[in-house]
Amino acid sequence: MMINAAFNMTIDGRPENSSDQIAVVNPATEAVVATIPDCSQVQLDRAVAAARAAFPGWRATSYADRQAALRAIGALVAEHAEELKQLLTAEQGKPHAAALAEIQAAAWWIGVVADQQLPETVSDAMPGQRSVTRHVPLGVVGAIVPWNFPVLLAIWKIGPALLTGNTMVLKPSPFTPLATLRLGELLQSVLPPGVLNIVSGGDALGPMMSEHGDIDKISFTGSTATGRRVMASAAANLKRLTLELGGNDAAIVLPDAKVADIAEPLFWAAFTNSGQVCVAAKRMFVHDSIYDELSAALVEIAGRVRIGDGADPDSALGPVQNRAQYERVKAMIADSRDAGHRFLTGGEPGEGPGYFVPVTLVDNPPDEARVVAEEAFGPVLPLLRYHDIDEAVARANASEYGLGGSVWSSDPDAAAEVAARLETGTVWINSAQGLTPFAAFAGHKQSGIGAENGMDGLLEFTVPQTIHHPA
Ligand code: NAD
């Protein structure tokens, strides 16, 4: 069913549409639910020019005023949570409860970011001068967001970019633009025109942004392949970059872990949001001594988790978000079947309508198998036997990715020793996926450059400026 609303971009504080439209599909039904404007180069240029024109005024506002603006954004998101939830489920596929949780997390998150203060460093070490280093805004930030957590990941960029005095042009994924476009319209009531511009478009728009000569920084979340392209095109005007990219997180289960305690959280570590989480557990290394018991427990949980349309209150998991990703996940399952891997559960994607894939557990495939070596980004998980911990750590680290990981044990100190050996930006002990506004989230290796969240994340939207005063 079509959503009865027009979806506009927001450029210089005003709604803008286009004669070129892109269809947005509900992944649970494959029905077109809305169309959105396909931003032209001229419109993008105007959005960037509006952000540039708004920059001197916005950076000159007091820090306290910008903190108040962030809190007002949080309040607006919370106030419109119900409406945004409906849009998010219709475009993304996730169940209503998960959509609401994402929106509420976004509302809370930006309020926490509002409380952050930028540091100032003073040095008297050089005789005859006092050096004061503070952190000033970069200018116009281009923000590019993926389709798995469209609202939360947009807020992760909007909060720190605006707090530090930058202005923005933000682009949602063409697969999940609706809640973000609506958000852009809502936020104009608390921001001066041009401070936050939202544009929507197809495959051409992201490159138009990363190549744009008047954007000073790109804050990008998406796949490693796209991140490489963004980095290459950003060279033209030496754009600053924050890249939050793909991952292939290992969960390492030590032999002393109690299966009854960890099976449920381990299941959700892998399958929350139908596996479409950058920090989902994507390779599960289980000690030989508890492998059979844990795999049986995971199969039992899979049997009682209902997958369906996110608008149905009984659905705990929704579909894969878009057709291309659905085909990719199906190809990965087919590759495992062709290679003779055993499925402990699942392995038979539905024929549609809807991009539904059952929870699929693959029994101890070799590390070279696609399902292990590649990021599935869907509800497919390989369980991998190991015998000694050095072997498990080496196999976990044998990846171009370095985003997250987790270690599971009855002895948190022993787990912490293993955690420190993982070559990733985040490691959880006896949990997974929990990210906070209070701590840095950074990808090692090809999982990214820079950080989001915490003080590290805030500073990514600034550049140091040192003023040397006479002593
Ligand atoms: P994607 O790279 O296909 O797209 C991400 C965004 O980039 C979209 O808005 C897209 O329109 C845009 N884009 C596409 N081509 C572009 C180009 N050449 N230049 C600039 N922008 C371009 O990623 P996706 O499929 O939307 O998201 C899934 C991926 O994102 C997974 O790999 C996942 O691990 C990763 N991800 C990472 C994090 C993180 O914080 N590290 C969080 C969520 C998702």
Side-chain angles (χ1 to χ4, degrees):
M1 204 176 67
M2 287 289 275
I3 296 166
N4 188 18
F7 291 92
N8 295 306
M9 302 188 286
T10 299
I11 297 176
D12 204 12
R14 285 186 297 274
E16 276 232 14
N17 218 297
S18 161
S19 51
D20 295 328
Q21 295 284 303
I22 296 173
V24 179
V25 168
N26 180 334
T29 62
E30 298 182 51
V32 173
V33 289
T35 65
I36 55 154
D38 188 3
C39 186
S40 67
Q41 179 75 56
V42 171
Q43 286 175 311
L44 176 65
D45 289 346
R46 273 201 287 111
V48 175
R52 176 66 59 202
F55 176 54
W58 184 245
R59 79 177 294 179
T61 54
S62 72
Y63 199 80
D65 283 351
R66 297 202 298 268
Q67 289 178 303
L70 261 63
R71 292 188 185 110
I73 291 173
L76 269 176
V77 173
E79 203 180 304
H80 291 268
E82 183 57 34
E83 177 194 356
L84 294 169
K85 172 193 93 176
Q86 300 286 349
L87 294 176
L88 187 52
T89 293
E91 63 183 339
Q92 207 284 335
K94 62 181 68 183
H96 274 156
L100 186 62
E102 177 178 342
I103 288 152
Q104 288 171 336
W108 171 76
W109 206 286
I110 198 162
V112 172
V113 173
D115 292 337
Q116 288 184 311
Q117 292 289 342
L118 283 169
E120 195 173 88
T121 316
V122 181
S123 170
D124 297 314
M126 193 69 195
Q129 68 183 25
R130 188 170 57 90
S131 304
V132 180
T133 303
R134 61 197 186 100
H135 299 272
V136 300
L138 287 154
V140 176
V141 171
I144 301 179
V145 181
W147 46 257
N148 57 346
F149 290 90
V151 176
L152 184 61
L153 296 181
I155 286 290
W156 281 18
K157 300 181 188 312
I158 292 170
L162 298 191
L163 181 65
T164 48
N166 301 279
T167 56
M168 293 185 94
V169 178
L170 183 142
K171 184 193 91 63
S173 165
F175 297 115
T176 54
L178 302 182
T180 312
L181 289 172
R182 179 73 185 115
L183 194 64
E185 291 190 307
L186 288 171
L187 300 190
Q188 297 314 304
S189 66
V190 296
L191 294 170
V195 167
L196 174 64
N197 304 273
I198 310 274
V199 294
S200 60
D203 291 347
L205 185 57
M208 270 154 60
M209 287 175 67
S210 55
E211 285 160 15
H212 204 288
D214 208 25
I215 291 180
D216 300 295
K217 175 192 173 88
I218 293 281
S219 175
F220 173 85
T221 304
S223 63
T224 295
T226 310
R228 285 193 198 103
R229 288 196 278 274
V230 170
M231 192 168 180
S233 59
N237 67 334
L238 287 184
K239 281 186 190 69
R240 273 56 181 172
L241 287 175
T242 301
L243 303 177
E244 292 286 3
L245 308 177
N248 200 4
D249 290 14
I252 300 180
V253 185
L254 301 186
D256 68 346
K258 300 276 173 293
V259 168
D261 295 342
I262 63 166
E264 195 91 26
L266 265 179
F267 180 88
W268 292 109
F271 295 109
T272 295
N273 211 37
S274 298
Q276 302 165 114
V277 182
C278 53
V279 286
K282 292 169 184 152
R283 296 175 292 157
M284 199 166 284
F285 293 94
V286 185
H287 191 265
D288 193 41
S289 60
I290 56 168
Y291 182 94
D292 292 334
E293 186 189 355
L294 179 61
S295 39
L298 293 173
V299 169
E300 188 274 322
I301 297 168
R304 57 185 154 82
V305 168
R306 186 154 163 199
I307 299 176
D309 189 328
D312 176 347
D314 290 335
S315 301
L317 291 175
V320 169
Q321 198 281 322
N322 59 73
R323 174 155 293 277
Q325 187 61 20
Y326 177 58
E327 297 299 341
R328 204 179 114 77
V329 171
K330 284 204 300 186
M332 208 173 257
I333 291 173
D335 182 76
S336 267
R337 178 171 297 106
D338 292 349
H341 305 153
R342 193 165 83 96
F343 298 108
L344 296 165
T345 187
E348 299 285 342
E351 291 302 321
Y355 310 135
F356 291 103
V357 176
V359 165
T360 298
L361 291 168
V362 190
D363 185 17
N364 201 30
D367 288 2
E368 306 69 46
R370 273 191 68 189
V371 74
V372 184
E374 294 181 26
E375 178 187 37
F377 221 62
V380 182
L381 177 71
L383 297 179
L384 304 161
R385 278 182 200 268
Y386 76 88
H387 299 273
D388 79 77
I389 190 61
D390 291 343
E391 168 214 335
V393 169
R395 290 167 68 192
N397 283 337
S399 170
E400 66 181 19
Y401 294 115
L403 194 58
S406 56
V407 186
W408 303 72
S409 166
S410 302
D411 178 350
D413 293 335
E417 280 181 26
V418 177
R421 295 171 64 191
L422 294 184
E423 296 167 354
T424 65
T426 304
V427 191
W428 291 268
I429 292 164
N430 292 335
S431 71
Q433 295 205 7
L435 295 168
T436 92
F438 305 107
F441 173 51
H444 293 190
K445 302 197 262 186
Q446 294 191 45
S447 286
I449 289 183
E452 287 195 297
N453 303 324
M455 186 49 63
D456 299 88
L458 190 66
L459 292 176
E460 293 268 318
F461 290 95
T462 66
V463 70
Q465 182 188 51
T466 300
I467 298 185
H468 299 293
H469 302 264

